[in-house]
Amino acid sequence: VTHWHSPKFHAYFPTANSYPAIVADMLSGAIACIGFTWIASPACTELEVAMMDWLGKMLDLPSDFLASSGGKGGGVIQGTASESTLVALLGAKAKKLQEVKAEHPEWDEHTVIGKLVGYCSDQAHSSVERAGLLGGIKLRSVKSENNRLRGDALEKAIEKDLADGLIPFYAVVTLGTTNSCAFDRLDECGVVGNKHNVWIHVDAAYAGSAFICPEYRHYMKGMERADSFNFNPHKWMLVNFDCSAMWLKDPSWVVNAFNVDPLYLKHDMQGSAPDYRHWQIPLGRRFRALKLWFVLRLYGVENLQAHIRRHCNFAKQFGDLCVADSRFELAAEVNMGLVCFRLKGNNERNEALLKRINGRGNIHMVPAKINDVYFLR
Ligand code: PLP
């Protein structure tokens, strides 16, 4: 086993672990229900609705996303951020198809799908490109500025595609990129997305947990313009894998896109609570809300905030050590718990350094490269 919870494990992004989440997963395993519809397990569905509301309030998400606001919005627990990106893309695709077909009834579906184009920054996670492949649409990688996607670059890309007769429909804004934990300018990209009727999906897989701390919420500025938002409590919020929290302002696009209704899945109470099978790709689903409930009850908001702040302070301390040592330099601003650093000089020196560190079998790290500059992260 590679010990992800060893204090010497510094590869990738962290994955969460805590005893309340482990106990909740054991209970989920023991109950062993499959909550694909409300009737298939009312508690599984209703606890998920309640937990996604608690969590949304902890992040101070716009109320449009919350079921308790009484509007259309609501949350769902997906397995991973990759699934959330794909689900949002498929919802956006269904929405645009319906809009375009209403305007051009003479166009067939293949013609419209061939014209659809989505956007993300050149720093977006590989799962975004993959969602484009799985969703069967073109996805444009837009050049970032200082590792962040800016509104004017997104706007230029959209306008060029419109001029070429294409149909922009979806854009992923990353808050906390994998390479360097950079934050796309949601405040700018949201305005552009709304102007061009392009679905904005926010991928905050790692950094989203930090939004439980008010001092980091400035990165969320513009969230009211997004259509869907996702982060992974299973990365940084003490909830064991898998627990990827996703909110949709109008889930009906996703629900309608995925709605196949055989008789054996229908029930008398349809419409009174979400049937989560329509919000996700698989039919079956585990009782994942339990681990969110146990973690939130056992630790409480203040302890979770302290956990995040402690990690951010470790990163600051390590970043300061790098700056104080004349052999090293930072490859990017220190954001959240991530430090991107390198030996001054060429890439080969840094590749050799990482090889030596990992070769010793004591500390484990992974590298990244931005603009051909190789660094350790
Ligand atoms: N998005 C970002 C920004 C990530 O950093 C990651 C993983 O590190 C992902 C998406 C993929 O996450 P998951 O494994 O939950 O699909």
Side-chain angles (χ1 to χ4, degrees):
V1 168
T2 300
H3 290 287
W4 278 65
H5 300 282
S6 158
K8 294 169 182 178
F9 183 92
H10 296 280
Y12 317 110
F13 273 138
T15 193
N17 198 356
S18 71
Y19 82 87
I22 294 170
V23 172
D25 253 353
M26 288 166 69
L27 185 55
S28 165
I31 294 173
C33 64
I34 307 287
F36 45 67
T37 53
W38 177 82
I39 198 94
S41 184
C44 177
T45 300
E46 291 183 24
L47 189 65
E48 188 160 327
V49 173
M51 287 308 99
M52 291 303 292
D53 247 65
W54 281 20
L55 195 55
K57 285 178 184 156
M58 282 168 62
L59 267 61
D60 203 21
L61 276 187
S63 61
D64 289 2
F65 285 105
L66 306 183
S68 60
S69 72
K72 293 179 183 169
V76 58
I77 304 177
Q78 305 280 2
T80 61
S82 310
E83 286 164 73
S84 301
T85 304
L86 177 60
V87 164
L89 181 144
L90 296 175
K93 184 177 167 186
K95 178 171 184 276
K96 192 55 91 181
L97 267 175
Q98 199 184 95
E99 288 166 0
V100 174
K101 274 203 268 181
E103 216 176 302
H104 298 282
E106 71 284 8
W107 290 1
D108 68 76
E109 199 160 300
H110 283 300
T111 309
V112 181
I113 291 173
K115 289 173 186 280
L116 293 180
V117 54
Y119 306 86
C120 64
S121 99
D122 55 14
Q123 294 298 309
H125 189 260
S126 56
S127 54
V128 180
E129 185 183 343
R130 201 140 174 270
L133 291 174
L134 291 167
I137 53 91
K138 279 185 275 303
L139 200 76
R140 195 99 48 235
S141 164
V142 180
K143 192 164 170 33
S144 59
E145 181 187 312
N146 211 3
N147 305 328
R148 325 165 83 188
L149 179 62
R150 301 291 307 260
D152 51 359
L154 179 62
E155 172 118 52
K156 265 193 203 132
I158 289 176
E159 279 178 350
K160 180 171 184 315
D161 286 334
L162 284 171
D164 291 343
L166 298 176
I167 306 172
F169 80 108
Y170 180 64
V172 176
V173 171
T174 307
L175 298 183
T177 59
T178 317
N179 277 338
S180 67
C181 202
F183 291 81
D184 289 349
R185 289 292 296 266
L186 176 58
D187 54 340
E188 298 174 358
C189 296
V191 173
V192 175
N194 288 179
K195 178 176 158 194
H196 293 283
N197 192 19
V198 164
W199 180 300
I200 298 285
H201 174 68
V202 179
D203 173 6
Y206 163 68
S209 295
F211 301 150
I212 64 170
C213 302
E215 65 270 30
Y216 294 119
R217 290 195 194 133
H218 59 96
Y219 290 121
M220 294 168 69
K221 199 169 159 226
M223 192 66 81
E224 67 286 352
R225 297 184 180 275
D227 296 281
S228 49
F229 170 73
N230 167 243
F231 86 101
N232 285 348
H234 72 229
K235 276 191 165 64
W236 200 14
M237 222 190 71
L238 293 175
V239 183
N240 288 48
F241 189 85
D242 51 347
C243 180
S244 186
M246 179 189 196
W247 289 266
L248 292 138
K249 220 184 241 170
D250 183 357
S252 69
W253 292 110
V254 165
V255 168
N256 294 336
F258 298 163
N259 201 330
V260 180
D261 237 357
L263 185 60
Y264 48 80
L265 294 177
K266 286 185 195 285
H267 61 91
D268 292 344
M269 301 299 285
Q270 268 174 214
S272 55
D275 282 336
Y276 277 127
R277 71 187 172 103
H278 300 308
W279 297 51
Q280 60 175 23
I281 291 163
L283 172 67
R285 58 200 329 272
R286 301 190 311 118
F287 199 163
R288 289 182 290 222
L290 275 176
K291 54 189 169 187
L292 209 42
W293 190 36
F294 278 32
V295 165
L296 298 184
R297 290 289 305 274
L298 262 289
Y299 291 108
V301 177
E302 285 178 12
N303 283 316
L304 291 169
Q305 288 173 332
H307 165 73
I308 298 286
R309 288 176 180 138
R310 186 165 161 264
H311 281 201
C312 293
N313 284 333
F314 287 150
K316 272 202 200 80
Q317 277 178 42
F318 181 63
D320 288 346
L321 289 174
C322 292
V323 171
D325 188 317
S326 62
R327 295 168 298 175
F328 287 95
E329 63 188 5
L330 293 177
E333 185 187 336
V334 175
N335 274 334
M336 308 294 165
L338 182 66
V339 185
C340 301
F341 68 103
R342 66 194 305 280
L343 282 169
K344 289 175 185 166
N346 59 25
N347 286 350
E348 289 70 30
R349 290 187 80 195
N350 284 285
E351 286 168 25
L353 173 66
L354 184 64
K355 211 168 169 188
R356 272 179 71 186
I357 292 172
N358 282 339
R360 278 194 189 165
N362 188 27
I363 291 173
H364 186 37
M365 277 191 284
V366 292
K369 214 181 216 182
I370 300 180
N371 299 328
D372 267 333
V373 176
Y374 179 102
F375 55 89
L376 286 67
R377 64 184 285 297

